[in-house]
Amino acid sequence: MSSAMDDLQWQAMQYVLGEMSDTERDLFEARLADDLAACEAVTSASRLVLTAQAALHETSRTSPPRTAMPVAVHASRRAAWFAVAMTAAAGILCVVALQFAVSVPASRVAGQDSAELVALWRSGMAVDAADVYDPDDAADAVSDAVPSWMLAAVSVEAAAMDGQPEKIQEN
Amino acid sequence: MDSTQEGTLATDDGGPTSLGEPVSVERLSPDTVRTLYDVHGRDLQTFLAGVLRSTDAAQDVCQITFQRLMEVGHDARMETIRGWLFKVAFHEAMAYRRKETRVGKLRTELRAEGQDWVTLDQAVDSLVQAEEVGQLRARLQELPPEQQHVVRQRIHEDKTFAVIAAELNVPLGTVLTRMRLAMQKLQKWLS
C-alpha cells in the first residue's frame, strides 16, 4: 500500500471515528462528493470499525473478568433466596408442629375426659339401676344412661377444641 | 422509445443490458435495480454508516439512494454506476444530515439513549459478516498489547484519542501511531 493510500485510509478512519476538526471534516467531505477513491476508503474504514466493534463487543461479553461478576452476584442471590425459602419453610413447620402439639393432645385429653365422664356417669347410673333393677327398662338403660345435655356439652367441647363449628344434635 | 435497442440498460419492458452506452429514458427495470443493490448495496450502506455514524440512518439513506436509482438511474452509465451511486448516496446523506441537524436529532438522541452508531445490532448485523467478526477477533489478539489497548479504548469504549493519551500519560502522537499501525494491519487483512 502506497504512502498516499495509507494517508487516505488513515484520513478516512479519522473521519469515520469523528476525530477530525470541523475544517478537516469539511475538506474531506468536499473530496467525498467527487472522489470515488475517498468514498471507497470511507467504506473500508467504516467496515473495519463496525467489524472490530462487533468483535470487541463479543469479546467483552464472553471474557471472564466481565462475566465473573454477574455470575457471582447471581450465585449469592440464589443462596440468599435459598436461605429465605429455608427459613420460611422452617417457620411454617414450627407453626404447624406447635399447633399440632397444642391442639391435637388437647382434643385428645378433652375426648378422654369426656369419655371418662360419660363412663363415670354410666357406672353411677348402673349402680343405681342395680339397686332398683327393672327388667322392662333394661333395654333403654344404655341409651338413657347418659343425659342429652351431657352429650351436647361433650360435643360442643370437642368442637371447640378442634376449632370447627359443630352442630349440636339434640336427642 | 425502443427500449430493446443495443446500448441501453434493462428497462421495465425487459430490454437488454449492456455497458458503456447511453441509457434509455425509460426507468430501470426492478430486476436491474435489484441486481445493482445486490452488488453495491452493502458497500453503499457501510459507506453511509461511516458518513452518518448511524447504521439506522445509513439504511434510510441507502433506501433513498436506490429510489433515486429507480427514478433517474437510466441517466447513468453502467460502467460508472458505482461512482454514480456513491455520489448520489453522499449527497442524500448530506441532505439527511442537514435535515436531522435542523430538528436536533441524529446523534444527540442516539447518544442520549446510549445508542452509539455502532451498537445498533440489527443494522450492524446486515453490514458485518459473522465469520469476519470471529476472524478479526483473532487478529486483534495478535496485535501488540499497547495497540490492542488503543483499539479497544477507541472503538469499544468510545474514548477519544486525547482521552486515551491522557489516561496512558503518553503523547497524543503515540496513541495515534499505535492506532494507525493497528488499523493498517487489520485493514490489510480485511481487504
Side-chain angles (χ1 to χ4, degrees):
Chain A
M1 197 180 282
S2 70
S3 175
M5 197 62 188
D6 272 354
D7 287 344
L8 179 58
Q9 288 290 352
W10 179 238
Q11 267 190 305
M13 179 58 69
Q14 287 183 304
Y15 174 72
V16 166
L17 291 173
E19 287 281 348
M20 283 181 164
S21 66
D22 289 350
T23 311
E24 287 172 329
R25 192 195 64 196
D26 290 346
L27 280 172
F28 191 72
E29 286 184 343
R31 187 176 174 181
L32 283 176
D34 284 320
D35 187 349
L36 182 59
C39 293
E40 298 283 9
V42 168
T43 305
S44 176
S46 179
R47 185 176 162 219
L48 177 57
V49 169
L50 288 167
T51 309
Q53 216 277 341
L56 290 167
H57 184 64
E58 282 293 313
T59 306
S60 68
R61 275 202 306 199
T62 55
S63 62
R66 294 208 175 201
T67 54
M69 180 75 99
V71 166
V73 168
H74 288 156
S76 66
R77 278 183 187 165
R78 272 200 299 272
W81 277 111
F82 182 73
V84 168
M86 290 303 290
T87 307
I92 290 166
L93 273 174
C94 285
V95 169
V96 168
L98 265 172
Q99 277 187 338
F100 189 75
V102 169
S103 66
V104 172
S107 64
R108 277 183 188 163
V109 169
Q112 284 168 358
D113 287 349
S114 303
E116 282 171 10
L117 189 61
V118 169
L120 277 171
W121 182 271
R122 279 176 176 165
S123 64
M125 287 300 289
V127 170
D128 290 343
D131 292 341
V132 284
Y133 182 69
D134 184 355
D136 293 333
D137 293 334
D140 299 325
V142 175
S143 59
D144 292 340
V146 182
S148 60
W149 59 264
M150 180 173 281
L151 287 172
V154 167
S155 67
V156 167
E157 186 186 0
M161 286 299 185
D162 290 337
Q164 293 174 345
E166 191 170 310
K167 286 182 181 175
I168 300 169
Q169 292 182 344
E170 291 182 5
N171 289 345
Chain B
M1 171 69 198
D2 181 13
S3 62
T4 61
Q5 68 183 336
E6 226 176 279
T8 61
L9 289 171
T11 54
D12 285 342
D13 59 359
T17 300
S18 66
L19 302 178
E21 296 292 329
V23 295
S24 76
V25 293
E26 290 189 38
R27 290 185 176 189
L28 301 179
S29 71
D31 283 348
T32 305
V33 174
R34 196 174 300 120
T35 303
L36 288 171
Y37 182 82
D38 289 343
V39 174
H40 305 291
R42 187 164 164 256
D43 282 352
L44 213 57
Q45 212 172 310
T46 308
F47 166 69
L48 289 166
V51 173
L52 294 166
R53 293 189 203 117
S54 160
T55 46
D56 215 17
Q59 274 187 330
D60 291 347
V61 176
C62 190
Q63 202 170 0
I64 293 168
T65 303
F66 278 90
Q67 277 175 358
R68 293 280 176 275
L69 180 69
M70 290 191 81
E71 291 163 7
V72 295
H74 51 272
D75 289 338
R77 291 176 179 273
M78 252 314 187
E79 79 270 26
T80 56
I81 197 71
R82 187 173 171 88
W84 185 92
L85 283 168
F86 273 91
K87 194 169 186 171
V88 171
F90 180 72
H91 284 286
E92 290 298 336
M94 292 297 104
Y96 185 93
R97 195 161 71 186
R98 278 194 296 274
K99 184 182 157 195
E100 292 297 315
T101 304
R102 270 203 301 273
V103 293
K105 278 186 176 178
L106 194 60
R107 267 205 285 178
T108 48
E109 272 195 6
L110 290 170
R111 298 262 179 202
E113 292 169 11
Q115 294 179 330
D116 202 0
W117 70 281
V118 286
T119 58
L120 296 163
D121 289 342
Q122 196 177 355
V124 170
D125 283 349
S126 67
L127 299 180
V128 299
Q129 292 174 341
E131 55 193 69
E132 280 185 354
V133 172
Q135 288 167 350
L136 191 77
R137 197 182 304 128
R139 297 281 168 172
L140 279 166
Q141 303 292 324
E142 294 170 9
L143 293 174
E146 65 274 10
Q147 289 179 18
Q148 273 186 51
H149 180 77
V150 173
V151 170
R152 176 178 288 278
Q153 294 292 304
R154 183 63 193 86
I155 291 180
H156 184 57
E157 304 291 337
D158 201 27
K159 292 177 182 172
T160 64
F161 290 131
V163 169
I164 298 167
E167 283 181 357
L168 293 175
N169 200 23
V170 296
L172 177 62
T174 304
V175 171
L176 291 174
T177 303
R178 288 175 185 173
M179 184 72 175
R180 186 169 179 166
L181 289 171
M183 290 296 105
Q184 274 177 354
K185 289 174 195 167
L186 295 174
Q187 213 149 28
K188 195 175 173 182
W189 168 78
L190 201 62
S191 62

